[in-house]
Amino acid sequence: MTENAIGIFDSGLGGLTAVKELVKLLPNENVIYFGDTARVPYGNRSKRTIIRYAEQDADFLLSRGVKMIIAACGTVSSVAVNLKDELPVPFTGVVAPTAYAAAHATKSGRIGVIGTSATVNSGSYKNELLRLDSSFSVFQQDCPLFVSLVENSFISADDDIVKMVVERYLKGLKEQNIDTLILGCTHFPIIAQAISNYLEGRVTLIDSGKETALYAVKLLEKHKLFNRSEQPGSCRYYVSDTVEDFRRTAEIFLGKNVGNEVSHINLEHAFVH
Ligand code: DGL
C-alpha cells in the first residue's frame, strides 16, 4: 500500500502548484495527477455539478489505487465538503491548511481572500479564519478570470493583460490595507508574481497549493503511509481534454518536460454517477 501513488486532482492546471511542492518535499513518492481540463472552470458552476465532478475525479484516482487523495482545488474543497466522508483513503482539501497558515502569518489580522466565485460565495476560508480567531477582519474577492488567464498561459507578470486583470480585481483589497492574502484557488499561485507586484511586495501571499502539500506530508505520517522505497518517485498526469495544451503550460510551470507522462482519459464514459 505505501508504494501506491498519492492522488491529486483539480479542474485543470492549478493543482500542479500542490504537485510541485509535494515532489520537492517527498521525492520518493509516486504521484498521479488528474486535471479535468475538459470541464474547467469549476468555479462558476452550481454546487450540485461541482460535487458530481469532484466525486468522479476522486473515483478515477481510486481506480488507480491511490493511497491518499488531495483535492488541490479551492472550489471543490469549499463546496464538496462531504467528499472526505465518502472516501476509503485519507483525504485533504486546501481550505483548512491554507487558512491555518494565513492565521499564523498575519500580524494586523487584516486578511484578504481571493478565489473562484463558488469559493468566495461559500465563505469557506472566511469561516475557517474566523473559527481560528474571531477578531480577524476578512475581505473576500472572487477573481474568476484568473483561472482563464492561467489555463491559457497568460502568466507573465509583465503581460499587460495580466496586469490589467490583477488591478481590476485587487484594487479594493489593496485599499483595505490587508497584510496577508490567501491565494484561495490553486491556479492563482501561478500568477503570484503579478499579484505581488501590484501589492508592491507589502502583503504576504499564502499559496494554497504549497500549504496543502505541507499538510499532506503530516497526513501521510499520521496514517503511516510514507513510501519507504529509495527509488525516486514517478509522476503520471491524466487530463480529460487534449494533452498538448496541458503539456505546454505544465512544462512552463513545473520547469520540466512532462511529455510522455501525460495521458488523456475520458472521464464521462468511465465514471458517470
Ligand atoms: N483551481 C481551482 C480552485 O482552486 C478551480 C478553478 C476553477 O476551475 O474555476 O478553485
Side-chain angles (χ1 to χ4, degrees), residues 180-231:
T180 303
L181 177 64
I182 288 184
L183 308 182
C185 167
T186 51
H187 280 68
F188 297 179
I190 300 177
I191 53 165
Q193 192 57 55
I195 294 171
S196 176
N197 290 355
Y198 177 67
L199 297 172
E200 297 161 30
R202 292 200 197 124
V203 173
T204 304
L205 304 184
I206 308 292
D207 175 333
S208 49
K210 180 176 172 183
E211 296 306 332
T212 304
L214 288 165
Y215 177 70
V217 176
K218 292 188 194 150
L219 202 59
L220 279 179
E221 189 173 18
K222 180 175 161 200
H223 291 275
K224 300 191 173 29
L225 282 173
F226 281 130
N227 186 0
R228 300 286 165 206
S229 160
E230 303 280 302
Q231 302 295 322

Side-chain angles (χ1 to χ4, degrees), residues 10-11 14-15 40-44 72-76 116 119 147 184-187:
D10 178 44
S11 58
V40 67
Y42 282 9
N44 49 14
C73 175
T75 306
V76 165
T116 63
T119 296
V147 178
C185 167
T186 51
H187 280 68

Side-chain angles (χ1 to χ4, degrees), residues 64-211:
R64 301 279 144 164
V66 297
K67 62 182 174 185
M68 178 170 105
I69 292 182
I70 303 174
C73 175
T75 306
V76 165
S77 312
S78 299
V79 174
V81 288
N82 295 326
L83 185 61
K84 185 178 196 258
D85 307 325
E86 298 167 15
L87 298 175
V89 293
F91 169 87
T92 182
V94 301
V95 174
T98 309
Y100 181 83
H104 282 81
T106 186
K107 296 204 166 53
S108 67
R110 299 179 70 79
I111 304 172
V113 176
I114 55 174
T116 63
S117 302
T119 296
V120 165
N121 292 338
S122 78
S124 57
Y125 287 102
K126 184 172 180 174
N127 294 338
E128 186 63 19
L129 286 165
L130 294 176
R131 195 182 65 76
L132 293 167
D133 186 336
S134 58
S135 72
F136 286 154
S137 299
V138 183
F139 307 91
Q140 303 191 97
Q141 173 65 52
D142 60 338
C143 307
L145 284 179
F146 284 0
V147 178
S148 307
L149 288 177
V150 170
E151 289 290 327
N152 291 287
S153 306
F154 284 85
I155 56 180
S156 164
D158 299 323
D159 188 301
D160 287 339
I161 294 173
V162 176
K163 283 199 238 176
M164 203 191 304
V165 179
V166 166
E167 178 176 1
R168 176 70 70 91
Y169 281 139
L170 299 191
K171 198 166 185 294
L173 287 180
K174 194 174 183 179
E175 287 164 4
Q176 292 297 343
N177 281 322
I178 52 169
D179 76 344
T180 303
L181 177 64
I182 288 184
L183 308 182
C185 167
T186 51
H187 280 68
F188 297 179
I190 300 177
I191 53 165
Q193 192 57 55
I195 294 171
S196 176
N197 290 355
Y198 177 67
L199 297 172
E200 297 161 30
R202 292 200 197 124
V203 173
T204 304
L205 304 184
I206 308 292
D207 175 333
S208 49
K210 180 176 172 183
E211 296 306 332

Side-chain angles (χ1 to χ4, degrees), residues 21-88:
E21 200 58 34
L22 199 68
V23 167
K24 254 194 266 168
L25 294 167
L26 301 171
N28 296 343
E29 293 292 338
N30 299 309
V31 172
I32 294 181
Y33 182 79
F34 174 64
D36 196 4
T37 51
R39 303 190 293 196
V40 67
Y42 282 9
N44 49 14
R45 297 186 192 275
S46 70
K47 194 171 169 180
R48 214 170 122 190
T49 300
I50 294 166
I51 291 172
R52 183 162 58 88
Y53 287 178
E55 287 172 346
Q56 292 172 352
D57 300 344
D59 277 354
F60 168 67
L61 292 173
L62 289 172
S63 76
R64 301 279 144 164
V66 297
K67 62 182 174 185
M68 178 170 105
I69 292 182
I70 303 174
C73 175
T75 306
V76 165
S77 312
S78 299
V79 174
V81 288
N82 295 326
L83 185 61
K84 185 178 196 258
D85 307 325
E86 298 167 15
L87 298 175

